Amino acid sequence: MKHLKKLVAMLLVSVMALTMLTACGGGSGSSSSSIFKYTGQQLTDAINKKLNANLTYDENLGDRFATAINAAGQAGQKFDDPDVAGAMIEMILESAGFSDDTEVAVTVAQKGAAVDLVASGLSSSIVKEGYSIKDKKIGYAGAKLNIDGDYYMILAVLQ
């Protein structure tokens, strides 16, 4: 529950920022291939190499997480009371299968960034947060940032 509460708090703080983001899935489908020139499996392989890990790529995990976060953010905006909004967000994330064992690493990359650059950013985030990588699945989601240039926030979802 510790990680979920941290995620809920982070989501509440960034509800205003969500209006600046246009979410896109990070699976192996066309949305990720149009942003970057590699697949989710290739990114996972690069992260595994950097962390000497054996993460398993799940092509649906990132899309499922992006959908849950978008739904939770929209639901949370409907409540003036932060406690009620937090409870609603937590309920949506839990019902989508994201609980305290879900960890999210984040990096920012420019459109077309090399796989090693994105893998380095996500690997650093995983290490900095102290996330366990043993026997975990990983998926990816992304959001275009509304700043100059084509920059994306890349989320690595570990479960």
Side-chain angles (χ1 to χ4, degrees):
M1 202 50 88
K2 175 183 154 194
H3 293 290
L4 185 59
K5 287 183 181 183
K6 182 178 176 184
L7 183 62
V8 169
M10 186 173 69
L11 186 61
L12 284 173
V13 169
S14 62
V15 164
M16 296 286 282
L18 282 175
T19 60
M20 298 180 349
L21 302 176
T22 304
C24 59
S28 61
S30 62
S31 60
S32 65
S33 62
S34 65
I35 299 168
F36 302 104
K37 305 228 185 285
Y38 47 85
T39 66
Q41 183 61 56
Q42 290 170 316
L43 180 55
T44 301
D45 292 343
I47 291 171
N48 280 335
K49 185 176 178 183
K50 290 189 179 304
L51 296 177
N52 194 23
N54 194 20
L55 293 164
T56 303
Y57 175 59
D58 181 337
E59 68 181 61
N60 297 313
L61 183 59
D63 290 335
R64 191 166 52 90
F65 184 74
T67 300
I69 286 293
N70 285 332
Q74 289 174 3
Q77 289 178 336
K78 297 186 186 305
F79 298 97
D80 292 331
D81 183 342
D83 292 332
V84 174
M88 179 60 68
I89 290 168
E90 189 172 340
M91 182 186 73
I92 290 170
L93 292 174
E94 283 181 352
S95 66
F98 299 102
S99 60
D100 60 342
D101 63 342
T102 303
E103 299 167 324
V104 182
V106 180
T107 193
V108 174
Q110 191 167 14
K111 180 177 181 176
V115 68
D116 284 338
L117 181 65
V118 176
S120 288
L122 291 173
S123 297
S124 294
S125 180
I126 290 168
V127 169
K128 179 182 174 191
E129 294 297 328
Y131 293 151
S132 167
I133 53 176
K134 183 174 173 50
D135 301 323
K136 294 277 180 117
K137 291 182 181 180
I138 190 168
Y140 307 99
K144 184 174 182 178
L145 301 174
N146 285 337
I147 56 176
D148 291 337
D150 288 326
Y151 288 90
Y152 291 80
M153 177 172 43
I154 312 301
L155 304 131
V157 183
L158 300 160
Q159 197 173 45

